[in-house]
Amino acid sequence: MSYNSIIDNKAIKKTKQAEWQSIIGLEIHIELNTQSKMFCSCSAAYFGHKPNTHVCPVCLGLPGALPVANKKAIEWVVLCGLALDCQIPLFSKFDRKNYFYPDLPKGYQISQYDLPFAVKGRVKMDDGKIIRITRVHLEEDTAKLIHATVKGKGVTLVDFNRSGVPLMEVVTEPDIKNPQEAKELLKKLRQIVRYLGISDCDMEKGSMRLEANISLQKSGISKLPDYKVEIKNLNSFRFVEKALEYEIKRQLGLIKKGQKPLQETRGWDEVEQVTYSQRGKEEAQDYRYFPEPDLPPIHWQRKEIERIKKSLIELPDEKGVRFQKQYKLSLYQINSLIESREKADYFEEAVKVSHQHQIDPKEIANVIVNKRINVEKILPAELIKILVKKRTKPTIKGKELEKIANKVIRENKEAVEDYKKGKITAVEFLVGQIARATKGQVDPNQTRKVLLEKLR
Ligand code: ZN
Ligand code: MN
């Protein structure tokens, strides 16, 4: 149940606007799939490997070991920033974020504080609403703590394979109005990052990790509330939605009792379906941020940013617009096809292969979408072969076919002219037009014969 519907049920007058509005922001950590780690040459592909086999003095935080920044990781963060319509400041630096925890051997995380690689971006939602992106910055991942039982005793083990893997952090402005919108934004972000090919964003493997912050404000007041609750441990989009829905109810309950929700960090307990208090929320000053002295700051040249910009591929939104124009597909078909770059490419490859068979791209889209074609298992060419085979026997012939041919000839004067001037292939265009007009219910050879006679 959404927040608005909870309020609506309680409202005396249904027409009255909800009294309280939820204000939500997201922080998303994404591991980049570079070959090496952020500040050393250890392999970053650690998943499923034996603990503590991808380590060196740098990522173990041994005294005297010096970091060297991974250029690819920096470029990818800028690339992602550009994909999110961010501004790329020409001056940037790394900072130390100090805190003490066993997963952080140096006692600090190399991160970015006041000068991140990308700022002030935006993501456009399906309804046209803009969610502002505050920043995209780069930091290093921490080691992984594993709570286990050894010889009957509860122990915590540390696996440093993850320590120092490049971690991109995307932070949104609190522009999100409800849990469903939060989920939509996360899906869009994941889609964009996957298109860029810079991370697999696999939440089960921990390569995408989510945090949300939420507070309630009286409707109509634009000032942000003076507290916010951060929710951690959200390892699926569904959990984000559920945890936010729970928090809305919890905070609303407190407010109705005349209490103000505490500023704190809470976890999500999937078994109990509740959030629980973990600790008071840290403020930035608690981390004693200061510039990382072992890494030089980054001065970009404009042309370097331009070069990265040029490498930006066609993103889902642009692809959708083009598919609409070029193939006249339905919104449903488009959304399904552009889900992943692989699927979209597959469709276009199939369309290419299908040209000589006069198959309508819409028909191809339909099959891929509705029959849930596994794009990894069937080659586009094979799919087209199947379509051609299955095609219903031509049902339109004789007088009816001639009528349609006459109409197509009338409506495509240019192609007819071309043909008469000697451009033989123009007739294929007309065959295609007839195939399209009849949804493929004609035999191409027969159609060509009819056309050639008429154009003689
Ligand atoms: Zn290392
Ligand atoms: Mn972070």
Side-chain angles (χ1 to χ4, degrees), residues 37 39-43 54-60 163:
K37 290 190 183 179
F39 299 114
C40 61
S41 56
C42 291
S43 161
H54 290 229
V55 291
C56 73
V58 173
C59 54
L60 285 172
S163 173

Side-chain angles (χ1 to χ4, degrees), residues 353-361 363-364 367 383-395 431-432 434-436 438-445 447-448:
V353 182
S354 78
H355 264 149
Q356 49 180 326
H357 303 291
Q358 272 95 37
I359 300 176
D360 190 334
E363 191 186 334
I364 299 168
V367 172
L383 179 75
I384 296 305
K385 244 189 224 163
I386 296 169
L387 285 184
V388 171
K389 238 189 200 167
K390 275 194 180 161
R391 205 184 236 176
T392 43
K393 287 254 155 21
T395 48
V431 171
I434 293 175
R436 202 158 288 181
T438 57
K439 295 201 163 70
Q441 293 182 73
V442 287
D443 174 60
N445 290 329
T447 309
R448 195 177 297 110

Side-chain angles (χ1 to χ4, degrees), residues 28 30 32-33 76-86 121-126 129-131 133 136 168 170 172 183-201 208 237 311-320 338-342:
I28 305 109
I30 296 168
L32 301 178
N33 57 15
W76 279 1
V77 169
V78 170
L79 184 72
C80 184
L82 291 167
L84 297 174
D85 240 342
C86 287
R122 44 196 264 146
V123 172
K124 198 170 163 198
M125 306 291 270
D126 285 339
K129 178 178 168 178
I130 299 293
I131 305 288
I133 300 294
V136 185
M168 176 172 78
V170 180
T172 79
K183 194 167 143 192
E184 190 194 330
L185 179 89
L186 289 167
K187 281 190 175 169
K188 287 213 177 285
L189 179 68
R190 182 178 64 178
Q191 188 187 30
I192 291 169
V193 172
R194 283 183 174 168
Y195 261 64
L196 297 175
I198 62 178
S199 173
D200 56 9
C201 292
M208 185 179 195
F237 292 164
S311 71
L312 249 190
I313 42 98
E314 186 179 48
L315 293 169
D317 278 357
E318 306 162 61
K319 211 183 264 301
I338 65 168
E339 216 167 53
S340 73
R341 212 171 134 186
E342 290 75 24

